[in-house]
Amino acid sequence: MSVIYVLLAISLVVAIIFFAAFIFSVRQGQYDDAYTPSVRMLFEDELVKPKKKKVKSEE
């Protein structure tokens, strides 16, 4: 019977730690943009063309 009390205490401590980590991540802005990552795969990446170096000709 005493094992139940120990397991209950341990589970409460673990639950409080996870809840504190969740509150910390919300305050740090971890969940601010939930829409963009879900639709990012629908858009094609823009191709970036490398800039050509201008060659000065000696005349």
Side-chain angles (χ1 to χ4, degrees):
M1 187 72 180
S2 64
V3 173
I4 293 174
Y5 296 126
V6 172
L7 291 176
L8 184 63
I10 292 172
S11 67
L12 284 175
V13 169
V14 170
I16 290 171
I17 290 171
F18 278 111
F19 184 68
F22 173 73
I23 295 297
F24 177 75
S25 66
V26 168
R27 288 189 182 191
Q28 293 297 320
Q30 185 73 26
Y31 302 108
D32 281 350
D33 187 14
Y35 179 70
T36 302
S38 64
V39 297
R40 187 177 297 152
M41 72 170 89
L42 301 175
F43 301 111
E44 293 185 23
D45 293 335
E46 294 180 11
L47 296 175
V48 178
K49 295 180 182 177
K51 294 182 180 180
K52 294 182 180 179
K53 293 183 180 179
K54 294 182 180 178
V55 178
K56 293 183 180 179
S57 60
E58 297 179 21
E59 293 181 13

